[in-house]
Amino acid sequence: MTQALTLVWFRRDLRTFDHTALQTAIRQGRPLAAVFLFDRDILDALPADDRRLSFIHQCLSELHGKLAELKIPLYFRHGRADTEIPALAAELNAAAVVCAEDYEPQAIARDTRVAAKLIGANIEFQAVTDQVMLAKSAVMTQQDRPYQVFTPYYKAWLAIVAEQYAGWQSRDDWATLQQLQQKLPNNLPASPPPPALAKLGFEAQTLVQNGGETAAQAALGDFLDILADYPLSRDFPAKRGTSQLSAHLRFGTLSIRHLVYLAKQADNEGGALWLKELAWREFFQQLLYHYPQVAEQAFRAEYRHLAWQNHPEWFERWQNGQTGYPIIDAAMRALKQTGQMHNRLRMITASFLCKDLLIDWRLGQDWFAAQLLDFDLAANNGNWQWAAGTGCDAQPYFRIFNPITQSYKFDPEGRFLRRYLPEIAHLDNTLIHAPWRAGSDIDCHGYPPPIVDHAVQREQAMALFAAARTG
């Protein structure tokens, strides 16, 4: 009888270091094979130039090689999960399929369908915690309800993490794996490298940030070198002050357990602040898990029917960086060109769309989802609802960023503005933040005047939310 296998299904965990599903599979005591699915339920809706596929392809090319060194064949399939995963498991005589669990509504539904088919074929399905420190309902209130406010969640999260991960270190059991892989059947199908993007219907894109575990570790090292300065530099988009690790966290080329360990080991203000940012990521993950409806509607019921104005022309100008507010336009052009946006700029541009242009946050959420290399549904939704004032924050509706003062404060010399706004790069450090104040004497080379008056729109936004609160 052919030796039974354990099949490891790689998804948002494209690495080998501290890989929970991989190590769980090793402990089952059978030789391992692996699979990555190019899921048509996700990919068919994406444009051919979606840059995330280039990033993923880089990750998979390296992963294929690293697994080959471990004698683990990595198979690639292109189709739908509830068809392809059970079919491959049966073909390989897999006794079990192990993967890292996901918390997005569509992913949960997908895994439910796959599990049902596997169990029906007498194949075990096991989903383990990997992309977060504390999953699902691990952090609950004393009333056994999910936290809706970050600060008490964070306190509880810190206590549980300290207890569950005391003395943490990666326990990658490669010695046992080596023994197991000696029993790998000789008649397994070949496992070539990932198919070319063109075969999947996508075009290779030039990336400002490379994918793969090696690139992830290099980026992590670069950030650790500046971690001590993180509290002072992280809000300035012209500086290299943030971690720039979000895409690697999104696709799992880094271990969240390793990052939390490093943040705590730093034992300085930078490490403490970074640790809190990592916890915010988990807060939004558990929020989406417990309240899946937030992906489509406001968390707060009173704001589910706000009378957004939704001017199509204004939305298009926001998308293309033509609002006449330099900090907004530079950020939006950077997003379109690179697939990245600094966290401070995400807050400013989101606030501007919702509170200045009075456009539904869901339109902005969808635009970011299409553009961001690091797009993550939970984080994107949580941050958009925070900026719009519709989320679980206690006092959100009057938080309205002034794009001019934000620009002066966080890009005082206009370095970031000049990088993406060549029309006004010649203006001095004062006028570049508000070019309309230059008057007609200085040529701004077609750069538009402000699309709206911030002071006027601020009052309209306050009225919009007040009407919803009292209505």
Side-chain angles (χ1 to χ4, degrees):
M1 185 175 180
T2 304
Q3 169 72 54
L5 306 176
T6 296
L7 181 62
V8 181
W9 181 9
F10 283 81
R11 291 122 63 105
R12 295 179 49 147
D13 47 0
L14 305 181
R15 68 182 187 281
T16 56
F17 171 70
D18 190 47
H19 191 284
T20 311
L22 194 56
Q23 296 304 316
T24 300
I26 291 171
R27 289 193 292 272
Q28 292 187 356
R30 292 181 288 265
L32 273 57
V35 60
F36 180 86
L37 175 70
F38 290 98
D39 192 337
R40 292 193 59 183
D41 285 332
I42 299 172
L43 301 188
D44 283 359
L46 301 180
D49 62 352
D50 193 302
R51 55 175 60 89
R52 286 169 293 185
L53 269 296
S54 292
F55 189 90
I56 291 170
H57 199 271
Q58 290 178 3
C59 295
L60 292 173
S61 296
E62 181 176 6
L63 180 64
H64 181 269
K66 291 175 79 72
L67 289 177
E69 292 174 3
L70 296 169
K71 308 301 181 185
I72 301 174
L74 173 58
Y75 298 98
F76 297 98
R77 293 293 183 267
H78 183 206
R80 291 184 165 81
D82 55 359
T83 299
E84 297 294 334
I85 299 302
L88 180 62
E91 179 184 352
L92 299 178
N93 191 34
V97 173
V98 181
C99 63
E101 62 189 3
D102 207 330
Y103 311 107
E104 297 181 4
Q106 289 183 336
I108 292 171
R110 172 202 64 203
D111 289 353
T112 300
R113 295 193 301 270
V114 172
K117 285 199 173 183
L118 289 171
I119 293 169
N122 201 30
I123 300 171
E124 180 188 354
F125 178 78
Q126 184 176 2
V128 297
T129 302
D130 184 79
Q131 71 185 47
V132 293
M133 299 290 289
L134 302 174
K136 296 182 176 178
S137 302
V139 187
M140 304 289 278
T141 67
Q142 291 184 349
Q143 292 74 39
D144 199 32
R145 302 181 67 178
Y147 282 96
Q148 298 182 2
V149 179
F150 176 73
T151 299
Y153 170 85
Y154 183 50
K155 292 179 180 178
W157 182 89
L158 282 175
I160 298 173
V161 164
E163 179 181 352
Q164 289 193 10
Y165 292 93
W168 177 89
Q169 59 179 330
S170 177
R171 294 178 173 85
D172 295 333
D173 191 356
W174 303 130
T176 299
L177 175 65
Q178 185 177 19
Q179 296 172 11
L180 293 175
Q181 295 311 94
Q182 292 175 2
K183 303 175 184 178
L184 199 67
N186 294 322
N187 60 347
L188 290 180
S191 56
L197 286 173
K199 286 191 174 182
L200 300 168
F202 292 90
E203 303 163 357
Q205 303 294 304
T206 301
L207 301 175
V208 297
Q209 183 177 24
N210 289 327
E213 194 168 0
T214 300
Q217 289 296 328
L220 174 59
D222 289 343
F223 177 57
L224 294 177
D225 288 342
I226 62 170
L227 180 58
D229 297 327
Y230 182 56
L232 298 175
S233 60
R234 68 175 187 142
D235 281 318
F236 296 86
K239 296 181 179 181
R240 169 61 167 96
T242 60
S243 76
Q244 299 186 26
L245 300 176
S246 54
H248 290 295
L249 269 171
R250 166 61 181 86
F251 295 107
T253 47
L254 290 172
S255 156
I256 183 61
R257 289 164 296 282
H258 187 215
L259 299 193
V260 167
Y261 170 80
L262 292 172
K264 296 177 77 170
Q265 287 293 109
D267 195 26
N268 58 30
E269 188 179 350
L273 189 57
W274 183 32
L275 183 64
K276 182 174 284 190
E277 291 301 316
L278 295 173
W280 266 108
R281 174 179 173 272
E282 303 219 351
F283 175 69
F284 287 142
Q285 291 273 0
Q286 64 91 32
L287 203 66
L288 178 63
Y289 173 75
H290 288 290
Y291 304 100
Q293 69 273 16
V294 299
E296 302 293 338
Q297 65 183 26
F299 180 88
R300 297 177 64 127
E302 65 267 34
Y303 297 141
R304 288 174 187 163
H305 302 287
L306 284 166
W308 301 108
Q309 295 182 8
N310 291 340
H311 293 293
E313 179 191 349
W314 290 7
F315 183 56
E316 185 176 350
R317 288 179 62 177
W318 176 82
Q319 289 175 306
N320 294 322
Q322 293 289 340
T323 69
Y325 284 92
I327 195 67
I328 304 297
D329 295 339
M332 296 305 295
R333 294 185 196 184
L335 173 63
K336 220 173 183 183
Q337 291 176 32
T338 69
Q340 296 181 321
M341 188 186 285
H342 187 279
N343 187 59
R344 168 62 57 173
L345 299 180
R346 297 187 196 202
M347 292 189 287
I348 300 170
T349 54
S351 174
F352 186 83
L353 183 75
C354 301
K355 305 290 181 63
D356 284 67
L357 301 185
L358 304 179
I359 290 175
D360 193 328
W361 59 271
R362 287 167 289 199
L363 295 175
Q365 174 185 251
D366 291 348
W367 180 249
F368 273 27
Q371 298 296 319
L372 285 170
L373 180 64
D374 66 2
F375 167 66
D376 174 275
L377 176 59
N380 193 46
N381 175 265
N383 283 306
W384 266 99
Q385 293 227 38
W386 182 91
T390 59
C392 55
D393 199 352
Q395 295 180 314
Y397 69 95
F398 51 78
R399 183 195 299 113
I400 302 175
F401 288 107
N402 184 316
I404 306 170
T405 57
Q406 290 284 309
S407 186
Y408 276 116
K409 184 174 182 179
F410 296 113
D411 191 28
E413 298 175 354
R415 290 167 52 202
F416 178 76
L417 300 182
R418 289 185 175 87
R419 193 179 304 165
Y420 292 100
L421 303 175
E423 310 99 304
I424 58 172
H426 59 290
L427 298 181
D428 64 32
N429 291 350
T430 298
L431 288 177
I432 196 169
H433 301 283
W436 61 91
R437 293 174 180 168
S440 58
D441 294 336
I442 299 178
D443 186 1
C444 290
H445 304 289
Y447 185 73
I451 189 172
V452 292
D453 183 318
H454 171 72
V456 172
Q457 296 301 108
R458 184 183 188 281
E459 293 305 315
Q460 288 198 28
M462 294 285 282
L464 179 74
F465 278 82
R469 289 167 63 84
T470 59

